[in-house]
Amino acid sequence: MGSLKLQINGLQVLARPGATVFQAAEEAGIAIPHLCHHPLLSDIGACRLCLVEVKNARTLLASCVTPVQDGMVVETESPRVVRARRTVISLLLANHPEDCLTCQKAGECELQRYAYQYGVERTTYPGERKDYPPDDSNPFFIRDHRKCILCGRCIRMCAERQGRSAVDFAFRGFATRVTTAFDVPLEESPCLFCGNCAAVCPVGALMPRAFVGKGRAWEQTRVRTICPYCGVGCSLYLHVRDNRFIGASPAPGPANEGLLCVKGRFGLDFLSSPDRLTQPLLRKDGGLVPASWEEALEAAARGLKEARDRHGPQAVGVLSSAKCTNEENYLIQKLARAALGTNNVDHCARLCHASTLAGLMMAFGSAAMTNPIADIDRSQALLVIGSNAVEAHPVIGARIGRAHRRGAALLVADPRRVELALCADIHLQHRPGTDVALLNGLAHVLVEEGLYDAAFVEGRTEGFAELARVLEAYPPRRVEEITGVPAELLVRAARVYGTRRPGAIFFAMGITQHTTGTDNVLAIANLAMLAGNLGCDGGGVNPLRGQNNVQGACDAGALPAYLPGYQRVDDPEARGRFERAWGVRLPAEPGLTVVEMMEAARRGELKAMYIVGENPMLSDPDLGHVEEALKRLDFLAVQDIFLTETAKLADVVLPAASFAEREGTFTSTERRIQLLRRALQPPGRSRPDLEIVLELASRLGQGWQYRGPAAVMEEMAGLMPTYGGVSHGRLGEDGLVWPCPSPDHPGTPVLHRERFPRGRGRLIPVEYRRPAEVPDAQYPMVLTTGRILYHYHTGSMSRRSHGLSAHRPEARVEIHPEDAARLKVEDGDWVEVSTRRGRVRVRAEVTDRTARGVLFLPFHFAEAAANLLTNPALDPVARIPEFKVCAARVARAAQAEGGEGRAR
Amino acid sequence: MRGEPVEDSGKLGALLDRYRGQPGALIPLLQDIQREMGYLPRPALEEAARALGLPAVKVYGVATFYAQFHLKPRGRHVCRVCLGTACHVRGGERILSRVSADLGIAPGDTTPDRAFTLERVACLGACGLSPAMMVDDQTFGRLTPDKASRLLRRFAREAPDGGGGGGRTAE
Ligand code: SF4
Ligand code: SF4
Ligand code: SF4
Ligand code: FES
Ligand code: FES
């Protein structure tokens, strides 16, 4: 269909059919005042501020809900329109407290702006003022009903974008207000405190507490950057005044479209925590005392050098960080390899997605999300397995929910009734550790019922015959026995995934953190290839990466077996390239992984470590042993923004700048390389990681010269084909999605369109194996671990956020009501959870989110450290520990004396 | 009435089944529930939301929007005291405070024994007889506080279930 011609304010305008007059005007550069309209939301035509005069129409029309028609003649500022608009504003002011003098919103309030624009001085309708008490029950934001103009933006945001429907209009007439079901405080509603409602409120009715009293819009500077929490890579603004952090607000990035979750929005006040490290520390007489940078760097270099010279490069280990930028990770692995001569460099991706890397490398030859986040909008079926996306990757979780409301089928496979499972079309609640059986069962049905994509299998893959033979052994009945998922449900799910194409699979740590992690990932790849769901829009195999730069840390080579760009250290040709570029000989043997380094340290073989931005004292399995290992080291240097549990054991502590105080790039879970921008000066004498690493390198005899992170990226681009066309100058606001091989390449949001990096996709049959530890008489239950929405990783950031920790101050172990009844445990009771490795005392949350016989404990809390309990048994290929399953027992505990007891 | 158990959930279940999965049937369902239970208790609204597949807050919004729906239990008698302009001028407030004191409840509430619900209204259309009040569907005019008290005692005795006592009507 062609476009329609209309005239707006005398201007000839073309519009596409179906557009509203408002949109047509906007595209022509004509702004129409509006209050209830918002580009992220549907239009309801409620506020009447966008009225326009349309020739031959009897009345003025609300332009946001009036479709364009050919030949329309529109006036947006005619005297009649202006009169009507002034009336609308006047009526709004009639029951608005004209509090602009003290209102936090002044300067960015849309009502104030329009009153000014149309010269409405004081209302001519002396109306009754609303007088309901504000809802200030939560630590994040305040709802002040008196200022609410009932535009309904917050309601639509919550329903349409967040899918929570926590609030709506209630009551009628003058009493109408926005509230929760049964008028309870937000805390008791389904609200998840994403704050996106507050971000679109045109007036001061929804106000983040952090901003109140800290200066108004014109006194703040806004710096656009990337959220430091999870791997979604949301864009946000940091609001700063006089080098002080005030708060954050959403920016319209490609991953988040102007939405955030509670952590990005309200969880960044750790930036100004008094616990921030502001000076280097040195261990003297058993204690850590302040030191100069010179002393600290000397000591760090000396400690590492001595260990290397005395015991060989294999005695030194480096842990890089998924919190560090690509450039920093690149330099840290270069430091390990070129300066210290060891491939013992790894980071916590080992603990979350090593099996993804191993599995997808084998199947496709590349290990990352195959499709962009925005593709969720194009999928017809979404299979979410082992990912509690609503809590761990909230903005993606919300988008999946929206796709489901739009009509995409949603299948959730998870041992827990996670948030998405509650609204899914089908929830497959399999027993922890039985993923291979479940996935093979789905694949079995595809093959059995001829629902697989024969053309794709024939043309793009290899190994089908072998796979089909193995799948024969997984008929739905047998799968039911292993997984506990009813056969009929399995068949139904398989039919949905097999027929509603394109379909995308999302997975996270529920798949990867098993001794069968690599097998789980292979089983997913098999299923997706059978359905032909690769290389197409809206399909894909999509691992959701946990930390914000875990993708980038892997890309940049902070891995013991891979040089930057996934080039194997034992491939002489690849190694040669780096040796020539760096001018040194590089070690050819793959190094040790995180967990292996800890074991080597415990055995006394690893003597010195340099740990950047990681906290293995909480994040690694079987903490008792980690502590022992770190204490046996001759030398430990730790670089972080807080004195973490790990830093407390260090000989040298190097204070680093946070994400807001430095520059560089992060690569999000969708392979999008995005720019981090500096908003603040580092506190005290702390310094960006990049500078610290350069200082250390020069003290280790390296003559590295880089003029900042952009120069490091230049070197990376020269050595990493997938980053070949990347430079800071090109990134702009939307970043670039790798592979981006040349400076004129636009990036590659969808992978494997024509072929897989390894040529054909490889179907690799996998057999179900039991988890390393299964329940027995002594430890009759299964313990699984994971995240909750309000905290993050080891809690070193989120637990220093006022709002987050006020909202969720302590750990709770989830226990099913039937188990609780049997053990006489009530909600909130203290219990003791024990495994073969340790004991933890924690309060119980009795909930049917978890299944019978399954306990769930989040790992964010040092005082109830889940990883005192977890099993360090490793996946044989990827060496990832089995965080998700171990045998455990739970019993009532006496009231904790003086706070939470710590085991051991 | 938070957390109050749904009385007679068997009947409620049958009503819910009739409309299950039909979000468009919210209003008829609420009417049926109210007919059955006399008002709309919170648990019934929550179950209605689940049955229709609507967010609870939508159901709450609709239930509070229409005057025909009551979220609190209703008394066997509904006493509406007029505070319209005419009644206001001629002492409606005094009538309301007497009735309120007699029943021991504020406007909008129901006596604990559910004999009376008290409401204030803005003109009963009987301005000539002001001050006026209505009990159930009968209108009474030219009231004095004492007359109002007597009326309440009469209705209390006439409680349809014959249960004497009624509200705490003054002697
Ligand atoms: S904070 Fe988010 S979940 Fe809560 S009411 Fe606002 S939009 Fe809804
Ligand atoms: S709180 Fe704000 S966004 Fe919500 S209805 Fe009121 S004015 Fe609109
Ligand atoms: S979804 Fe992830 S990246 Fe986005 S705001 Fe939340 S924590 Fe930050
Ligand atoms: S913006 Fe169009 S009616 Fe509100
Ligand atoms: S004012 Fe009371 S009846 Fe009209």
Side-chain angles (χ1 to χ4, degrees), chain A residues 140 225-236 238 245 248 260-273 321-324 348 391-395 509 544-551 641-642 659-660 666-669 676 787-805 860:
Chain A
F140 306 109
T225 190
I226 306 297
C227 175
Y229 280 109
C230 83
V232 177
C234 296
S235 297
L236 48 77
L238 298 176
F245 171 71
L260 290 178
C261 82
V262 64
K263 289 187 286 278
R265 177 70 196 231
F266 299 114
L268 302 180
D269 46 333
F270 69 83
L271 284 171
S272 27
S273 158
S321 172
K323 299 249 77 79
C324 284
C348 72
E391 300 203 51
H393 302 91
V395 165
M509 269 82 106
L544 300 177
R545 315 299 302 252
Q547 302 228 40
N548 69 335
N549 199 33
V550 73
Q551 183 67 53
I641 65 171
F642 292 115
F659 81 103
F666 282 150
T667 303
S668 72
T669 187
L676 192 64
R787 299 176 178 213
I788 62 171
L789 173 65
Y790 298 95
H791 286 288
Y792 179 73
H793 213 60
T794 64
S796 59
M797 303 191 314
S798 62
R799 296 197 70 199
R800 287 187 178 85
S801 155
H802 166 75
L804 296 178
S805 50
H860 315 291

Side-chain angles (χ1 to χ4, degrees), chain A residues 22 33-37 43-50 62-65:
Chain A
F22 185 96
H34 56 281
L35 284 168
C36 66
H37 166 83
D43 281 311
I44 53 169
C47 74
R48 317 308 286 175
L49 194 67
C50 67
S63 60
C64 71
V65 288

